[in-house]
Amino acid sequence: MQQASINQLISNPDSLELVLDNLKEGVIAHDLDRRVFFFNREAERITGYDRSQVVGRDCHDAFGAPLCGGHCAFCTGCPPPDSHREYQTLITTGNGNQRILEMSVTMMRDNGGGPFGVLAAFRDITDLFQSARESGITGFADIIGRDAKMTAIFQQIRDLSDYDYPVHLFGETGTGKELVAGAIHRTGRRAKHVFVPINCGALPEGLIESELFGHVKGAFTGAVRDKKGRFELADGGTVFLDEVAELSKHMQVKLLRFLQEGTFEKVGAERTSSVDVRIISATNRDLLKEVRHNRFRDDLYYRLNVIPIRIPPLRERKTDIPLLVDHFLKEAARRRDRPPLQISREALGTMLDYPWPGNVRQLQNAIQYSIVKCGDNTITVDALPLEVREFQDAGCRCPAGGKLSAEAVLEALGVSGGNKAKAARALGVGRATLYRFLDKHPDIRHP
């Protein structure tokens, strides 16, 4: 009987749909015009939309806003050049609830290799995130994060605790490379000794050798006494060379010699000195590309890049944003000796949609700005920085640039039974736009 059922499935042209309807992941597929042609049962359950409401429609129109949260290149009308992307985003369901989704988007290609559409698989991780949040675990070694990419980094840090091998951290500006470097130091065998960070890009070229290796009295004009360099001050501990790609070729040679021999010469000295330090380096550039363009020595690259660790940008770990927001709000409250501010659901949703090119540092700045701008105990969308608010509405504006009116909003809310997500779709605006309008017009009451 079982084999007969399997044979029936194989011979049934609708068997693929039956299989996809039994997956525990939501699946949506659309063509190059964003026209949805498949929407499985789990996608219905997660989004709160029936397939009859979605199939055959533009995916942006069907959900009232891009289901991708604005991350898909189809939002700009240009199919993505890459074939696969993974990210997290926040959606408003058909029932008006907000859920955090983990998305995996793949470009579909025909037998000739040409693109013909997009297949997206997604799962609801809201409950998983909430459980982790309630557990009280916020991260590791002063680094905030629970995303899988961050937990993998935490494990790497643990694995390094018994070793002194050079580590090279690479990632965009603002991702927290110095925090990771500090965590490697504090969890390692040198934790009882000093951690000395050096920003190689901030030191003047004429003084960098003296800053790193020190100088003796009379070595140059102004050298009125002997001075220890950063390496000597870090003896027994860890030196963190941030923006190491900014070092000149001359200093690269000096650093290479130190790494090879463990010795150096102070500026103006006639004898060599030696110290015992661990080296952690970092850069926001592609260091291998710098080598290929003859801007960075290949022998130094291989000396530094023994254990490479990539720090992901914030847009690749968006489920950490609510956690980071909570952390920054509580941190600010402690400094002001006041209860922490709250953040509205709409404001948090807007922050989850924003790509954060400045990463965690930009997010922290945005929270500080919002605390100053906020006139109440709750941060709303209006208190967010302009670039964050404008991004939310970039792809979702009123038809023909029209403006909302109290009458139109009241009518839309009445038709939708008070469901703001549905009202926003009917008005042809983004959810954040409607929320801001309602915040500015508290006299508007919906049924």
Side-chain angles (χ1 to χ4, degrees):
M1 177 66 70
Q2 185 178 9
Q3 186 60 47
S5 298
I6 292 173
N7 291 337
Q8 185 178 6
L9 268 177
I10 294 173
S11 61
N12 187 344
D14 297 324
S15 60
L16 178 59
E17 183 172 343
L18 292 173
V19 170
L20 294 175
D21 265 340
N22 281 277
L23 290 177
K24 296 302 181 184
E25 284 187 320
V27 177
I28 181 173
H30 67 70
D31 61 22
L32 297 180
D33 294 321
R34 294 202 310 243
R35 198 71 54 187
V36 178
F37 59 83
F38 184 77
F39 197 66
N40 77 341
R41 189 177 298 148
E42 184 66 6
E44 290 182 308
R45 188 192 69 79
I46 292 173
T47 66
Y49 289 89
D50 187 89
R51 68 184 67 184
S52 63
Q53 299 174 281
V54 175
V55 173
R57 298 183 63 192
D58 183 307
C59 66
H60 289 192
D61 295 338
F63 301 105
L67 184 67
C68 64
H71 301 284
C72 176
F74 277 87
C75 290
T76 61
C78 178
D82 53 342
S83 59
H84 186 76
R85 285 194 67 190
E86 293 183 354
Y87 54 87
Q88 295 87 35
T89 190
L90 184 86
I91 69 162
T92 299
T93 69
N95 302 319
N97 299 317
Q98 290 193 311
R99 310 296 292 178
I100 300 173
L101 303 187
E102 188 171 70
M103 304 280 292
S104 178
V105 182
T106 302
M107 173 68 77
M108 295 184 291
R109 300 185 180 277
D110 56 28
N111 293 334
F116 72 89
V118 167
L119 178 70
F122 52 92
R123 65 189 186 103
D124 187 345
I125 59 173
T126 310
D127 294 338
L128 181 65
F129 173 79
Q130 188 61 32
S131 297
R133 187 173 185 176
E134 291 172 355
S135 71
I137 301 171
T138 59
F140 173 79
D142 295 334
I143 306 171
I144 304 298
R146 296 195 195 100
D147 182 88
K149 291 184 176 68
M150 294 306 295
T151 56
I153 289 175
F154 299 159
Q155 186 58 52
Q156 284 183 285
I157 294 173
R158 294 187 190 98
D159 293 342
L160 285 165
S161 61
D162 290 332
Y163 301 94
D164 266 354
Y165 299 137
V167 177
H168 180 64
L169 309 173
F170 59 100
E172 297 176 7
T173 298
T175 50
K177 295 185 286 294
E178 185 169 344
L179 281 177
V180 174
I184 294 171
H185 169 74
R186 290 193 301 276
T187 57
R189 296 185 294 179
R190 298 176 181 265
K192 294 181 180 179
H193 298 281
V194 68
F195 173 79
V196 178
I198 303 170
N199 189 325
C200 300
L203 294 174
E205 179 60 32
L207 297 177
I208 188 168
E209 185 174 358
S210 171
E211 286 292 324
L212 295 184
F213 301 118
H215 64 253
V216 298
K217 181 179 178 180
F220 50 84
T221 303
V224 296
R225 60 179 176 81
D226 289 355
K227 178 185 176 182
K228 290 183 177 181
R230 308 283 183 92
F231 281 92
E232 194 171 0
L233 291 171
D235 194 14
T238 301
V239 168
F240 174 51
L241 297 171
D242 197 7
E243 297 188 37
V244 70
E246 301 296 331
L247 288 176
S248 66
K249 283 293 189 69
H250 169 73
M251 285 308 303
Q252 290 176 33
V253 172
K254 295 278 187 179
L255 178 59
L256 177 64
R257 179 186 174 187
F258 173 75
L259 293 174
Q260 289 174 332
E261 303 173 10
T263 62
F264 62 92
E265 293 177 0
K266 292 184 178 182
V267 177
E270 295 180 354
R271 61 183 180 85
T272 60
S273 303
S274 63
V275 291
D276 173 29
V277 298
R278 181 189 196 163
I279 300 294
I280 301 175
S281 59
T283 182
N284 57 8
R285 298 189 194 178
D286 183 337
L287 207 53
L288 189 55
K289 184 182 291 185
E290 296 297 300
V291 170
R292 290 170 180 159
H293 287 84
N294 198 34
R295 292 190 290 262
F296 200 83
R297 293 180 63 97
D298 57 351
D299 44 8
L300 179 56
Y301 168 78
Y302 291 114
R303 283 281 180 176
L304 295 173
N305 198 51
V306 177
I307 308 292
I309 297 179
R310 177 181 179 268
I311 315 300
L314 187 56
R315 63 181 173 275
E316 291 183 10
R317 57 180 187 109
K318 286 204 168 183
T319 49
D320 282 340
I321 288 178
L323 196 65
L324 287 160
V325 169
D326 283 348
H327 170 74
F328 293 138
L329 287 175
K330 289 175 180 176
E331 186 180 64
R334 281 195 300 269
R335 291 178 178 176
R336 301 165 67 212
D337 194 24
R338 298 180 184 178
L341 297 179
Q342 302 298 310
I343 186 164
S344 72
R345 186 182 68 177
E346 295 77 19
L348 184 59
T350 300
M351 298 179 89
L352 281 164
D353 282 342
Y354 186 68
W356 299 106
N359 295 293
V360 178
R361 188 177 300 139
Q362 184 190 8
L363 175 64
Q364 183 178 21
N365 293 342
I367 291 298
Q368 292 171 349
Y369 173 91
S370 299
I371 290 172
V372 174
K373 187 80 180 293
C374 179
D376 201 349
N377 294 324
T378 301
I379 294 173
T380 63
V381 173
D382 283 333
L384 299 177
L386 180 62
E387 67 270 16
V388 180
R389 303 198 311 266
E390 286 185 340
F391 179 85
Q392 174 70 18
D393 292 329
C396 307
R397 300 194 182 275
C398 297
K403 294 183 178 181
L404 292 178
S405 65
E407 294 78 10
V409 170
L410 275 171
E411 182 180 354
L413 288 170
V415 172
S416 68
N419 187 307
K420 295 177 184 176
K422 291 181 179 179
R425 289 196 298 275
L427 291 164
V429 299
R431 297 186 303 274
T433 300
L434 178 58
Y435 291 137
R436 285 202 298 276
F437 185 87
L438 292 173
D439 285 341
K440 292 178 179 179
H441 298 80
D443 54 312
I444 294 180
R445 295 288 182 269
H446 57 79

